[in-house]
Amino acid sequence: MKAYRCCEVTAGDSKRETIAVPITFARRCRDIAGWMVPSAILVLLPKCPMCLAAYLAFGTGVGLSISTATYVRMLLVVICISSLSFFAAKRLASRYARRSINVLAPLAIGRLDKDKGAVVRDGREVAN
């Protein structure tokens, strides 16, 4: 199980301890539903505004005009695509964050040179 970036704790100069937070069943279901609901809406959304107006009238009893159904359909498409884009960006950002902390963290932490009283990173003094 991989830990999240916020759960990593640095201990000492180069030792790193990872405290893994268990992912609950409810969170997994929520993450899957976040992908499935907008995808299902996009797949099942009718292409013709008259069909959308008929489905809404049949399912809810609310009648819509064709022009309103066109705007509702476009609104549903925009909301679904933006939410899918958000979930994709969130997943890419978390992968990048995990990769960058594993590779760059030892370089970014540096160590304290006790003889000189300065922080040394990559063999160079960084701060006094």
Side-chain angles (χ1 to χ4, degrees):
M1 178 187 299
K2 293 184 180 179
Y4 292 101
R5 183 177 185 170
C6 61
C7 301
E8 285 197 14
V9 178
T10 59
D13 289 333
S14 62
K15 297 178 185 175
R16 290 170 30 143
E17 179 183 338
T18 302
I19 302 169
V21 176
I23 297 175
T24 63
F25 180 72
R27 181 169 178 180
R28 285 185 187 168
C29 290
R30 188 189 72 197
D31 290 345
I32 291 171
W35 284 98
M36 294 299 288
V37 171
S39 301
I41 290 173
L42 281 176
V43 167
L44 298 175
L45 191 66
K47 290 186 174 78
C48 125
M50 286 179 49
C51 294
L52 179 65
Y55 289 153
L56 285 175
F58 181 70
T60 63
V62 176
L64 293 177
S65 67
I66 302 300
S67 62
T68 305
T70 303
Y71 291 123
V72 168
R73 183 186 176 282
M74 188 57 63
L75 180 69
L76 283 172
V77 169
V78 168
I79 289 173
C80 290
I81 289 176
S82 62
S83 67
L84 287 173
S85 300
F86 171 74
F87 291 128
K90 187 175 168 183
R91 178 167 286 236
L92 287 174
S94 69
R95 281 192 179 176
Y96 177 73
R98 268 188 261 143
R99 182 173 292 159
S100 67
I101 194 163
N102 291 338
V103 174
L104 300 177
L107 299 176
I109 293 171
R111 65 178 175 13
L112 180 64
D113 190 3
K114 293 183 181 179
D115 296 335
K116 296 181 180 179
V119 175
V120 177
R121 189 177 301 151
D122 293 334
R124 295 174 289 177
E125 285 189 22
V126 177
N128 256 342

